[in-house]
């Protein structure tokens, strides 16, 4: 397997995610603190909460996911250095190359991932 090719894909992806996180931080810092405090007093569990609140929550979710993805990408780059890239961390078999193509920071083969997601 051409791990150097995946290293490049991962580095590109890391740049892209870093930029996304930075732009989200900028967007969030532009909102007024007062407004944010006011929103906190409403019941966040209500399904029909204000659209503004919903959008903010989506931003936060994206931001949290981006941090996860960054960790996954860094782990994948470390695995390339170790020579364990492309090996399932659960069962030790090879992860299909087309799966890595779609998700280069995957840590499990498709079978183990399905098992994990069924829980
Ligand atoms: Zn596996």
């Amino acid at each position: 397997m051409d791990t150097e090719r995946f290293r490049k894909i991962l580095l590109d992806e890391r740049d892209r995610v870093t930029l996304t996180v930075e732009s989200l931080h900028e967007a969030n810092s532009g909102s007024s603190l007062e407004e944010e405090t006011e929103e906190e007093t409403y019941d966040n569990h209500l399904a029909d909460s204000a659209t503004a609140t919903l959008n903010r929550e989506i931003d936060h979710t994206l931001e949290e996911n981006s941090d996860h993805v960054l960790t996954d990408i860094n782990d994948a780059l470390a695995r390339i250095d170790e020579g364990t890239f492309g090996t399932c961390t659960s069962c030790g078999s090879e992860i299909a190359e087309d799966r890595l193509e779609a998700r280069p920071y995957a840590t499990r083969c498709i079978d183990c991932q399905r098992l994990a997601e069924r829980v």
Side-chain angles (χ1 to χ4, degrees), residues 72-93:
D72 288 349
I73 290 172
N74 284 330
D75 286 353
L77 286 166
R79 287 198 299 277
I80 288 179
D81 289 335
E82 287 170 3
T84 57
F85 180 80
T87 305
C88 174
T89 54
S90 291
C91 71
S93 63

PDB file of all heavy atoms in Angstrom, residues 72-93:
ATOM      1  N   ASP A  72      -7.946  12.083  15.206  1.00  0.00           N
ATOM      2  CA  ASP A  72      -7.908  10.878  14.368  1.00  0.00           C
ATOM      3  C   ASP A  72      -6.854  11.001  13.269  1.00  0.00           C
ATOM      4  O   ASP A  72      -6.137  10.051  12.967  1.00  0.00           O
ATOM      5  CB  ASP A  72      -9.281  10.631  13.724  1.00  0.00           C
ATOM      6  CG  ASP A  72     -10.304  10.140  14.743  1.00  0.00           C
ATOM      7  OD1 ASP A  72      -9.894   9.791  15.868  1.00  0.00           O
ATOM      8  OD2 ASP A  72     -11.493  10.110  14.404  1.00  0.00           O
ATOM      9  N   ILE A  73      -6.784  12.195  12.663  1.00  0.00           N
ATOM     10  CA  ILE A  73      -5.816  12.413  11.585  1.00  0.00           C
ATOM     11  C   ILE A  73      -4.394  12.310  12.126  1.00  0.00           C
ATOM     12  O   ILE A  73      -3.529  11.650  11.539  1.00  0.00           O
ATOM     13  CB  ILE A  73      -6.061  13.782  10.905  1.00  0.00           C
ATOM     14  CG1 ILE A  73      -7.373  13.744  10.090  1.00  0.00           C
ATOM     15  CG2 ILE A  73      -4.892  14.158   9.999  1.00  0.00           C
ATOM     16  CD1 ILE A  73      -7.797  15.101   9.537  1.00  0.00           C
ATOM     17  N   ASN A  74      -4.149  12.952  13.282  1.00  0.00           N
ATOM     18  CA  ASN A  74      -2.811  12.886  13.878  1.00  0.00           C
ATOM     19  C   ASN A  74      -2.439  11.452  14.252  1.00  0.00           C
ATOM     20  O   ASN A  74      -1.294  11.031  14.072  1.00  0.00           O
ATOM     21  CB  ASN A  74      -2.735  13.797  15.109  1.00  0.00           C
ATOM     22  CG  ASN A  74      -2.635  15.263  14.720  1.00  0.00           C
ATOM     23  OD1 ASN A  74      -2.087  15.603  13.675  1.00  0.00           O
ATOM     24  ND2 ASN A  74      -3.167  16.137  15.548  1.00  0.00           N
ATOM     25  N   ASP A  75      -3.420  10.691  14.764  1.00  0.00           N
ATOM     26  CA  ASP A  75      -3.180   9.285  15.093  1.00  0.00           C
ATOM     27  C   ASP A  75      -2.817   8.491  13.837  1.00  0.00           C
ATOM     28  O   ASP A  75      -1.913   7.657  13.860  1.00  0.00           O
ATOM     29  CB  ASP A  75      -4.432   8.667  15.740  1.00  0.00           C
ATOM     30  CG  ASP A  75      -4.610   9.140  17.173  1.00  0.00           C
ATOM     31  OD1 ASP A  75      -3.705   9.816  17.693  1.00  0.00           O
ATOM     32  OD2 ASP A  75      -5.664   8.833  17.763  1.00  0.00           O
ATOM     33  N   ALA A  76      -3.571   8.776  12.753  1.00  0.00           N
ATOM     34  CA  ALA A  76      -3.321   8.066  11.498  1.00  0.00           C
ATOM     35  C   ALA A  76      -1.917   8.374  10.973  1.00  0.00           C
ATOM     36  O   ALA A  76      -1.210   7.485  10.504  1.00  0.00           O
ATOM     37  CB  ALA A  76      -4.372   8.445  10.454  1.00  0.00           C
ATOM     38  N   LEU A  77      -1.493   9.655  11.083  1.00  0.00           N
ATOM     39  CA  LEU A  77      -0.151  10.035  10.639  1.00  0.00           C
ATOM     40  C   LEU A  77       0.902   9.315  11.491  1.00  0.00           C
ATOM     41  O   LEU A  77       1.931   8.862  10.976  1.00  0.00           O
ATOM     42  CB  LEU A  77       0.021  11.556  10.734  1.00  0.00           C
ATOM     43  CG  LEU A  77      -0.719  12.363   9.658  1.00  0.00           C
ATOM     44  CD1 LEU A  77      -0.782  13.837  10.031  1.00  0.00           C
ATOM     45  CD2 LEU A  77      -0.050  12.193   8.303  1.00  0.00           C
ATOM     46  N   ALA A  78       0.628   9.177  12.786  1.00  0.00           N
ATOM     47  CA  ALA A  78       1.551   8.460  13.672  1.00  0.00           C
ATOM     48  C   ALA A  78       1.643   6.993  13.272  1.00  0.00           C
ATOM     49  O   ALA A  78       2.722   6.400  13.303  1.00  0.00           O
ATOM     50  CB  ALA A  78       1.096   8.600  15.124  1.00  0.00           C
ATOM     51  N   ARG A  79       0.481   6.434  12.852  1.00  0.00           N
ATOM     52  CA  ARG A  79       0.480   5.021  12.446  1.00  0.00           C
ATOM     53  C   ARG A  79       1.262   4.822  11.147  1.00  0.00           C
ATOM     54  O   ARG A  79       1.864   3.771  10.947  1.00  0.00           O
ATOM     55  CB  ARG A  79      -0.959   4.500  12.302  1.00  0.00           C
ATOM     56  CG  ARG A  79      -1.650   4.300  13.643  1.00  0.00           C
ATOM     57  CD  ARG A  79      -2.877   3.390  13.502  1.00  0.00           C
ATOM     58  NE  ARG A  79      -3.868   3.957  12.604  1.00  0.00           N
ATOM     59  CZ  ARG A  79      -4.778   4.874  12.954  1.00  0.00           C
ATOM     60  NH1 ARG A  79      -4.821   5.307  14.190  1.00  0.00           N
ATOM     61  NH2 ARG A  79      -5.634   5.341  12.091  1.00  0.00           N
ATOM     62  N   ILE A  80       1.245   5.847  10.279  1.00  0.00           N
ATOM     63  CA  ILE A  80       2.052   5.753   9.057  1.00  0.00           C
ATOM     64  C   ILE A  80       3.530   5.676   9.446  1.00  0.00           C
ATOM     65  O   ILE A  80       4.290   4.854   8.930  1.00  0.00           O
ATOM     66  CB  ILE A  80       1.784   6.957   8.123  1.00  0.00           C
ATOM     67  CG1 ILE A  80       0.383   6.836   7.494  1.00  0.00           C
ATOM     68  CG2 ILE A  80       2.856   7.024   7.013  1.00  0.00           C
ATOM     69  CD1 ILE A  80       0.012   7.997   6.577  1.00  0.00           C
ATOM     70  N   ASP A  81       3.948   6.517  10.400  1.00  0.00           N
ATOM     71  CA  ASP A  81       5.337   6.507  10.871  1.00  0.00           C
ATOM     72  C   ASP A  81       5.701   5.167  11.508  1.00  0.00           C
ATOM     73  O   ASP A  81       6.814   4.660  11.341  1.00  0.00           O
ATOM     74  CB  ASP A  81       5.570   7.644  11.870  1.00  0.00           C
ATOM     75  CG  ASP A  81       5.558   9.009  11.182  1.00  0.00           C
ATOM     76  OD1 ASP A  81       5.853   9.051   9.972  1.00  0.00           O
ATOM     77  OD2 ASP A  81       5.264  10.013  11.850  1.00  0.00           O
ATOM     78  N   GLU A  82       4.751   4.584  12.250  1.00  0.00           N
ATOM     79  CA  GLU A  82       4.998   3.311  12.939  1.00  0.00           C
ATOM     80  C   GLU A  82       4.946   2.121  11.988  1.00  0.00           C
ATOM     81  O   GLU A  82       5.410   1.035  12.323  1.00  0.00           O
ATOM     82  CB  GLU A  82       3.936   3.079  14.025  1.00  0.00           C
ATOM     83  CG  GLU A  82       4.093   3.971  15.239  1.00  0.00           C
ATOM     84  CD  GLU A  82       2.880   3.866  16.162  1.00  0.00           C
ATOM     85  OE1 GLU A  82       1.960   3.062  15.868  1.00  0.00           O
ATOM     86  OE2 GLU A  82       2.846   4.590  17.163  1.00  0.00           O
ATOM     87  N   GLY A  83       4.306   2.332  10.829  1.00  0.00           N
ATOM     88  CA  GLY A  83       4.160   1.240   9.875  1.00  0.00           C
ATOM     89  C   GLY A  83       2.945   0.381  10.151  1.00  0.00           C
ATOM     90  O   GLY A  83       2.815  -0.716   9.625  1.00  0.00           O
ATOM     91  N   THR A  84       2.028   0.871  11.005  1.00  0.00           N
ATOM     92  CA  THR A  84       0.819   0.103  11.301  1.00  0.00           C
ATOM     93  C   THR A  84      -0.404   0.678  10.607  1.00  0.00           C
ATOM     94  O   THR A  84      -1.521   0.225  10.830  1.00  0.00           O
ATOM     95  CB  THR A  84       0.540   0.065  12.828  1.00  0.00           C
ATOM     96  OG1 THR A  84       0.434   1.410  13.304  1.00  0.00           O
ATOM     97  CG2 THR A  84       1.640  -0.650  13.571  1.00  0.00           C
ATOM     98  N   PHE A  85      -0.192   1.684   9.747  1.00  0.00           N
ATOM     99  CA  PHE A  85      -1.316   2.306   9.048  1.00  0.00           C
ATOM    100  C   PHE A  85      -2.027   1.283   8.166  1.00  0.00           C
ATOM    101  O   PHE A  85      -1.374   0.473   7.494  1.00  0.00           O
ATOM    102  CB  PHE A  85      -0.811   3.469   8.186  1.00  0.00           C
ATOM    103  CG  PHE A  85      -1.918   4.159   7.422  1.00  0.00           C
ATOM    104  CD1 PHE A  85      -2.738   5.080   8.038  1.00  0.00           C
ATOM    105  CD2 PHE A  85      -2.125   3.873   6.077  1.00  0.00           C
ATOM    106  CE1 PHE A  85      -3.757   5.714   7.339  1.00  0.00           C
ATOM    107  CE2 PHE A  85      -3.138   4.508   5.364  1.00  0.00           C
ATOM    108  CZ  PHE A  85      -3.948   5.425   6.004  1.00  0.00           C
ATOM    109  N   GLY A  86      -3.362   1.333   8.182  1.00  0.00           N
ATOM    110  CA  GLY A  86      -4.137   0.431   7.331  1.00  0.00           C
ATOM    111  C   GLY A  86      -4.429  -0.903   7.984  1.00  0.00           C
ATOM    112  O   GLY A  86      -5.009  -1.781   7.382  1.00  0.00           O
ATOM    113  N   THR A  87      -4.007  -1.046   9.264  1.00  0.00           N
ATOM    114  CA  THR A  87      -4.295  -2.275   9.996  1.00  0.00           C
ATOM    115  C   THR A  87      -5.400  -2.002  10.998  1.00  0.00           C
ATOM    116  O   THR A  87      -5.342  -1.019  11.737  1.00  0.00           O
ATOM    117  CB  THR A  87      -3.029  -2.757  10.753  1.00  0.00           C
ATOM    118  OG1 THR A  87      -1.968  -2.883   9.824  1.00  0.00           O
ATOM    119  CG2 THR A  87      -3.284  -4.098  11.425  1.00  0.00           C
ATOM    120  N   CYS A  88      -6.405  -2.863  11.025  1.00  0.00           N
ATOM    121  CA  CYS A  88      -7.530  -2.698  11.936  1.00  0.00           C
ATOM    122  C   CYS A  88      -7.041  -2.806  13.385  1.00  0.00           C
ATOM    123  O   CYS A  88      -6.346  -3.760  13.733  1.00  0.00           O
ATOM    124  CB  CYS A  88      -8.582  -3.764  11.650  1.00  0.00           C
ATOM    125  SG  CYS A  88      -9.944  -3.756  12.833  1.00  0.00           S
ATOM    126  N   THR A  89      -7.424  -1.816  14.219  1.00  0.00           N
ATOM    127  CA  THR A  89      -6.968  -1.829  15.610  1.00  0.00           C
ATOM    128  C   THR A  89      -7.741  -2.850  16.448  1.00  0.00           C
ATOM    129  O   THR A  89      -7.339  -3.166  17.558  1.00  0.00           O
ATOM    130  CB  THR A  89      -7.133  -0.432  16.263  1.00  0.00           C
ATOM    131  OG1 THR A  89      -8.483  -0.006  16.113  1.00  0.00           O
ATOM    132  CG2 THR A  89      -6.204   0.580  15.624  1.00  0.00           C
ATOM    133  N   SER A  90      -8.849  -3.355  15.903  1.00  0.00           N
ATOM    134  CA  SER A  90      -9.642  -4.333  16.655  1.00  0.00           C
ATOM    135  C   SER A  90      -9.229  -5.762  16.350  1.00  0.00           C
ATOM    136  O   SER A  90      -8.981  -6.548  17.248  1.00  0.00           O
ATOM    137  CB  SER A  90     -11.132  -4.160  16.356  1.00  0.00           C
ATOM    138  OG  SER A  90     -11.598  -2.950  16.906  1.00  0.00           O
ATOM    139  N   CYS A  91      -9.151  -6.113  15.063  1.00  0.00           N
ATOM    140  CA  CYS A  91      -8.894  -7.518  14.719  1.00  0.00           C
ATOM    141  C   CYS A  91      -7.538  -7.721  14.050  1.00  0.00           C
ATOM    142  O   CYS A  91      -7.114  -8.853  13.861  1.00  0.00           O
ATOM    143  CB  CYS A  91     -10.016  -8.064  13.830  1.00  0.00           C
ATOM    144  SG  CYS A  91     -10.001  -7.383  12.162  1.00  0.00           S
ATOM    145  N   GLY A  92      -6.852  -6.638  13.700  1.00  0.00           N
ATOM    146  CA  GLY A  92      -5.501  -6.763  13.152  1.00  0.00           C
ATOM    147  C   GLY A  92      -5.438  -7.084  11.671  1.00  0.00           C
ATOM    148  O   GLY A  92      -4.349  -7.192  11.108  1.00  0.00           O
ATOM    149  N   SER A  93      -6.605  -7.214  11.019  1.00  0.00           N
ATOM    150  CA  SER A  93      -6.567  -7.481   9.579  1.00  0.00           C
ATOM    151  C   SER A  93      -6.444  -6.165   8.807  1.00  0.00           C
ATOM    152  O   SER A  93      -6.614  -5.088   9.380  1.00  0.00           O
ATOM    153  CB  SER A  93      -7.815  -8.250   9.153  1.00  0.00           C
ATOM    154  OG  SER A  93      -8.962  -7.478   9.385  1.00  0.00           O
TER     155      SER A  93
END
